Amino acid sequence: MRPTIVRVALPVPIDKQFDYQIPSGVNPVVGGRVSVPFGPKTMIGLVTELDDKSDFDFDKLKTIKQVLDTEPVWQANLYELLFWCSQFYQYPLGETLFNALPAQLRKGKPAAFTPLIEWHLTLEGREQLSRGFGRAIRHAQVMQTLSCGPTFHQDFIDQNITSSVLQKLEQKGWIEPAECIPKFHLPDNVEAQVDKPKLNQEQAIAIASVNNHQGFGCFLLEGVTGSGKTEVYLNLIKQVLEAGKQALVLVPEIGLTPQTIKRFRKRFNLPVEVIHSGLNDSEKLNAWLSARDKIAGIVIGTRSALMTPFADLGIIIVDEEHDVSYKQQDSLRYHARDVAVMRASKENIPIVLGSATPALETLHNALSGKYHHLILSTRAGKALPTVNKVIDVKGQYLDSGLSAALIADMRRHLESGNQVMLFLNRRGYSPALMCHDCGWIAECKRCDAYYTYHQSTDEVRCHHCGSQQATIRQCPNCCSSQLVTVGVGTEQLEKQLLALFPDFKTIRIDRDSTRRKGSLEAALNSISKKEFQILIGTQMLAKGHHFPDVTLVALLDVDGSLYSSDFRAPERLAQLFIQVAGRAGRASKQGEVILQTHHPEHSLLQTLLTKGYRYFAELALQERKGSHLPPYSFLTLFRAEANQVQLVEDFLRQVRFTLEGHPLFKEHCQILGPTPAPQAKRAGKHRWQLMLQVTSRPIMQKLLFSAKPAINLLPNSKKVRWSIDIEPQDLS
Ligand code: ADP
Ligand code: ZN
Ligand code: ZN
């Protein structure tokens, strides 16, 4: 029988789908897009079901306007994954599905390739080749490239050849454009000829373990920086490509460097698509289609690339699996690593989670046998382990955050021709501005936070809501003009280093100094060329870059992490420390890592420094077990914010009451709050939270699933902005 009703998911914040009549003569498909009337608007929706009956009065249903796809936009297994995500993360299905679609498909564009422009030599062009191009170097470069074969327009742009150069050559009649849609074909050799290192025994074992495994399996590949994890990935991907399948590689936001991409492209004779937030909408769509229609062999991307459809996915790799950027902090608050494991299981393929510092959750799964545990214990090549040292700064004079001992060590390394890297996770000149006469401190009016002083732009800025104003010259409290800075940020450190080490050049890498597109890349390049000897950075500088001449790395201020209210702070510090240590002495030079602290005796620091990450992690796991924290329990964070504090508090009290009334609650749950969030006010809104702690994931799901409709109906639920964060990573 012909269905008469279509059920449609729409990108609206409502936990349900909508029924429409199907007019005669059109045939919507499940998984395809339709346009429908919704209130006064026309919206694009995704068909989730075809039916011949509805819970609503048939005659009152509206009719769909247009069918946009004759085939589903993605395969059933991706739809299933997204459906699961929507349920697990308690996020409306329509919004979950639309989150995963490229912007152009959300707007109704056809789900088909925009042909690429490819340049060819004309006959005249060929003749011109023998005559040469005089001093027109760019022209010669283009013509030489084309003499080896047609080349994509984008490839020229990537080589910094502008469209106008190409147009000139076209006007001369030497080259001509053609539209083309790339086709996937398996080359005889998936690997391009490059000199590959000979695998060591641990690498060979790791590769064999994954290759010999049938179907789904989750592998933790634990290996220090430089131990050859990427080499393992490349070998695994080779096998997958040879079997005619595709590979997905996820990297943290900051890990997607040109170096990484180049390494993959150089290795294989198959298209490598890169998906990240910097692409424009049509580039994103093409990359997405290229995976779906099996043109790309490999997709490398950040978190959102996980939702890319694949014709024939053979393996998923999650590099730096512990990285916090895998967790989305708004809308669909998913953890890309966890969803990747679910995807691999649904597609029945292996997944490899790589890290030098596995997340405690992942390590727990590996130690308990749920995941296979593969270990690379030594650095590949000649690199030596680092020497670690703690400087006790209690009672010592600090010169813009630097102790005398550290300055002496820096001098030693610099004078022997090496580079030094300093970490300070605080950008700006100083984290506060204070009145010397009365102690008044400049605070953001909209947040529960101090203003950061930025000397370069002579303004104060709130790092929480982004508001800024010209710097304050007079205390509003006592009218004194004696305003002083408190604490040290990267900007101040940079200035002081210029004074301390006038013979050495300093570069600062933080969000302020790398705002312009391409500036981070340029900075990293000039560091590689040793144009700078002293590198200052926030966490941004910690990841993935290979600087063989850095021999000293120092963390200037770690005390905040030792005594933070966030139970994950020690884990994060340990990961940062190991990551940073991985920057030192990556080549054959001995590296040194220095930590400045007021608490050198801190047991966690001691374990980390003397015994390494694994000991630290096992100790930290024991502590978590003792206090029933993840991975020994499962958390859900309810957040609420509003202009009036009473509204949020009342709302969360009602949520608590609703949860406590559930039959599963008593035996399996604990609840903390409502309490003000650590950052109790942001951008003018009061922020409160409520933490639910449950003994198992299925029970957490069951409880939330049945409580959520009741929460939606709470009287205050429409008056506050609230959200549910399943397995939260950020507790601020
Ligand atoms: P990771 O991903 O763990 O940081 P990489 O795979 O990038 O490590 O390897 C670090 C460096 O060591 C690279 O330059 C790589 O080419 C090299 N390398 C990897 N495996 C070997 C090996 N078995 N023998 C020699 N060099 C290797
Ligand atoms: Zn004052
Ligand atoms: Zn603010």
Side-chain angles (χ1 to χ4, degrees):
M1 202 182 69
R2 184 179 177 274
T4 50
I5 285 169
V6 67
R7 205 145 287 138
V8 179
L10 291 169
V12 290
I14 304 173
D15 279 325
K16 64 173 201 171
Q17 288 142 66
F18 301 87
D19 288 2
Y20 289 89
Q21 288 186 27
I22 305 174
S24 60
V26 301
N27 295 302
V29 290
V30 172
R33 292 165 302 157
V34 289
S35 69
V36 296
F38 189 76
K41 287 188 293 190
T42 298
M43 281 185 103
I44 295 190
L46 271 163
V47 177
T48 59
E49 252 178 291
L50 298 172
D51 208 339
D52 52 16
K53 52 188 175 304
S54 171
D55 293 340
F56 302 92
D57 187 354
F58 182 85
D59 295 325
K60 293 219 174 110
L61 293 180
K62 292 187 183 161
T63 305
I64 56 173
K65 287 195 162 168
Q66 207 187 344
V67 171
L68 298 177
D69 298 301
T70 51
E71 282 171 55
V73 287
W74 48 45
Q75 306 88 331
N77 55 14
L78 185 61
Y79 175 75
E80 275 171 36
L81 181 77
L82 291 164
F83 186 78
W84 175 86
C85 266
S86 153
Q87 299 227 308
F88 185 80
Y89 290 104
Q90 303 288 329
Y91 199 66
L93 179 65
E95 292 198 308
T96 305
L97 295 174
F98 274 80
N99 249 317
L101 276 185
Q104 296 207 325
L105 297 189
R106 293 199 292 263
K107 291 180 199 149
K109 288 259 167 65
F113 266 100
T114 327
L116 302 175
I117 302 293
E118 197 178 52
W119 290 98
H120 297 252
L121 281 187
T122 59
L123 250 122
E124 291 110 280
R126 243 170 240 296
E127 284 165 11
Q128 188 64 31
L129 269 176
S130 55
R131 293 188 210 116
F133 302 92
R135 274 184 295 162
I137 303 170
R138 292 278 179 200
H139 291 188
Q141 194 187 339
V142 172
M143 298 297 283
Q144 290 303 340
T145 309
L146 289 178
S147 70
C148 308
T151 305
F152 288 119
H153 183 79
Q154 188 58 40
D155 292 342
F156 282 124
I157 302 293
D158 289 347
Q159 295 164 27
N160 291 327
I161 290 176
T162 58
S163 296
S164 71
V165 170
L166 296 162
Q167 270 161 17
K168 273 220 185 78
L169 292 170
E170 189 187 2
Q171 280 157 13
K172 287 180 189 287
W174 295 344
I175 67 174
E176 62 189 6
E179 288 195 340
C180 96
I181 290 182
K183 284 269 167 325
F184 178 91
H185 72 107
L186 204 56
D188 295 339
N189 251 331
V190 303
E191 260 182 334
Q193 283 300 319
V194 289
D195 37 341
K196 301 186 295 174
K198 192 174 172 305
L199 298 171
N200 64 35
Q201 196 183 3
E202 287 178 325
Q203 286 172 318
I205 291 172
I207 294 163
S209 312
V210 181
N211 281 339
N212 293 338
H213 190 83
Q214 299 292 318
F216 168 66
C218 187
F219 298 83
L220 165 61
L221 180 62
E222 185 180 1
V224 293
T225 317
S227 60
K229 295 186 294 297
T230 311
E231 202 49 48
V232 170
Y233 306 153
L234 291 166
N235 278 276
L236 292 172
I237 291 171
K238 171 179 177 250
Q239 302 266 347
V240 167
L241 295 174
E242 277 172 351
K245 292 175 187 287
Q246 299 163 286
L248 169 61
V249 182
L250 295 182
V251 295
E253 256 151 34
I254 220 119
L256 197 55
T257 58
Q259 290 161 316
T260 317
I261 299 165
K262 222 182 267 167
R263 193 160 167 196
F264 279 80
R265 292 222 162 113
K266 211 172 127 196
R267 187 68 160 253
F268 298 109
N269 283 322
L270 275 161
V272 176
E273 285 291 348
V274 179
I275 297 188
H276 59 89
S277 54
L279 299 182
N280 69 32
D281 287 353
S282 66
E283 288 170 333
K284 269 187 195 148
L285 177 61
N286 269 359
W288 193 88
L289 290 167
S290 156
R292 188 193 72 173
D293 298 348
K294 206 173 174 182
I295 290 155
I298 303 169
V299 171
I300 310 181
T302 48
R303 181 178 69 223
S304 66
L306 172 64
M307 303 303 191
T308 310
F310 283 87
D312 212 346
L313 190 56
I315 193 167
I316 303 177
I317 286 157
V318 183
D319 192 29
E320 311 284 359
E321 63 82 31
H322 63 278
D323 197 278
V324 285
S325 74
Y326 283 124
K327 171 86 168 156
Q328 179 148 310
Q329 305 291 11
D330 55 11
S331 60
L332 175 64
R333 292 174 168 78
Y334 70 105
H335 198 304
R337 181 236 297 142
D338 297 348
V339 180
V341 173
M342 181 47 83
R343 179 163 192 175
S345 127
K346 283 196 183 295
E347 308 220 7
N348 201 26
I349 57 172
I351 176 167
V352 179
L353 310 177
S355 178
T357 51
L360 294 187
E361 284 86 349
T362 307
L363 190 64
H364 175 66
N365 281 331
L367 296 176
S368 68
K370 196 169 155 198
Y371 293 174
H372 307 268
H373 199 166
L374 308 169
I375 293 171
L376 305 182
S377 57
T378 49
R379 283 183 170 194
K382 298 186 288 283
L384 304 163
T386 57
V387 174
N388 304 330
K389 186 162 119 186
V390 176
I391 297 179
D392 184 355
V393 293
K394 267 199 304 291
Q396 299 226 7
Y397 171 69
L398 295 180
D399 192 351
S400 290
L402 301 166
S403 61
L406 176 57
I407 294 173
D409 277 325
M410 287 177 67
R411 200 171 294 284
R412 187 162 48 80
H413 282 264
L414 289 168
E415 282 172 357
S416 33
N418 294 312
Q419 287 169 312
V420 168
M421 202 183 254
L422 302 177
F423 283 91
L424 181 62
N425 232 352
R426 224 179 290 125
R427 64 202 166 83
Y429 189 85
S430 71
L433 193 61
M434 183 172 75
C435 171
H436 190 54
D437 288 324
C438 77
W440 172 86
I441 301 182
E443 260 181 81
C444 174
K445 287 171 200 65
R446 311 168 66 215
C447 301
D448 188 17
Y450 297 134
Y451 271 133
T452 299
Y453 172 54
H454 288 253
Q455 194 183 49
S456 58
T457 48
D458 200 26
E459 61 187 8
V460 288
R461 251 186 253 163
C462 172
H463 286 186
H464 299 283
C465 70
S467 66
Q468 59 198 63
Q469 61 178 76
T471 196
I472 299 157
R473 311 221 178 268
Q474 195 175 39
C475 170
N477 194 36
C478 72
C479 295
S480 158
S481 54
Q482 293 285 314
L483 290 168
V484 293
T485 59
V486 188
V488 181
T490 49
E491 220 180 73
Q492 185 179 155
L493 181 61
E494 181 182 25
K495 195 169 167 217
Q496 192 54 23
L497 285 165
L498 295 176
L500 279 170
F501 296 99
D503 299 336
F504 298 98
K505 285 184 77 186
T506 299
I507 186 171
R508 168 166 63 94
I509 306 241
D510 57 25
R511 258 201 289 151
D512 296 323
S513 72
T514 56
R515 233 171 260 281
R516 240 176 345 102
K517 202 177 166 194
S519 57
L520 175 61
E521 205 187 326
L524 297 176
N525 258 329
S526 46
I527 296 173
S528 295
K529 289 198 212 121
K530 289 195 77 175
E531 286 168 23
F532 298 94
Q533 292 77 44
I534 305 175
L535 330 173
I536 304 171
T538 52
Q539 207 137 335
M540 262 182 101
L541 192 54
K543 293 177 190 171
H545 315 293
H546 178 66
F547 302 127
D549 291 306
V550 170
T551 51
L552 173 65
V553 171
L555 292 156
L556 299 196
D557 183 5
V558 299
D559 292 346
S561 305
L562 295 177
Y563 297 98
S564 162
S565 63
D566 182 346
F567 72 90
R568 283 201 180 83
E571 178 187 355
R572 298 270 153 74
L573 172 62
Q575 288 164 343
L576 176 68
F577 175 80
I578 301 294
Q579 197 106 50
V580 161
R583 303 297 113 216
R586 287 200 74 177
S588 48
K589 297 180 181 177
Q590 174 76 65
E592 198 173 336
V593 183
I594 294 180
L595 237 149
Q596 289 193 149
T597 175
H598 290 85
H599 305 279
E601 73 300 333
H602 196 285
S603 69
L604 190 142
L605 268 188
Q606 284 305 328
T607 314
L608 184 62
L609 291 176
T610 55
K611 298 195 169 137
Y613 183 79
R614 173 59 89 71
Y615 270 92
F616 155 80
E618 289 183 19
L619 192 75
L621 274 171
Q622 276 172 23
E623 279 183 17
R624 296 258 186 109
K625 192 172 188 175
S627 44
H628 302 288
L629 284 166
Y632 302 95
S633 72
F634 299 87
L635 301 180
T636 296
L637 185 66
F638 291 84
R639 291 193 183 87
E641 56 177 57
N643 289 326
Q644 284 162 280
V645 71
Q646 201 55 48
L647 281 179
V648 277
E649 192 183 345
D650 286 349
F651 170 70
L652 289 177
R653 253 184 231 299
Q654 293 157 1
V655 172
R656 176 173 177 147
F657 190 70
T658 311
L659 294 168
E660 281 173 341
H662 196 279
L664 282 172
F665 185 88
K666 208 164 180 187
E667 203 179 327
H668 302 281
C669 305
Q670 283 198 321
I671 203 158
L672 193 78
T675 52
Q679 215 209 314
K681 201 173 158 206
R682 189 188 288 172
K685 304 255 190 253
H686 293 278
R687 311 167 72 242
W688 280 57
Q689 42 185 243
L690 179 72
M691 181 74 90
L692 174 70
Q693 192 174 17
V694 191
T695 49
S696 90
R697 251 192 198 136
I699 292 176
M700 179 169 83
Q701 284 297 304
K702 227 187 231 169
L703 177 67
L704 292 173
F705 190 75
S706 58
K708 188 151 179 229
I711 295 173
N712 276 328
L713 291 176
L714 288 173
N716 278 357
S717 77
K718 302 275 183 295
K719 296 185 196 147
V720 302
R721 239 182 85 176
W722 64 280
S723 61
I724 299 181
D725 192 350
I726 306 288
E727 301 180 2
Q729 290 285 324
D730 175 9
L731 305 180
S732 68

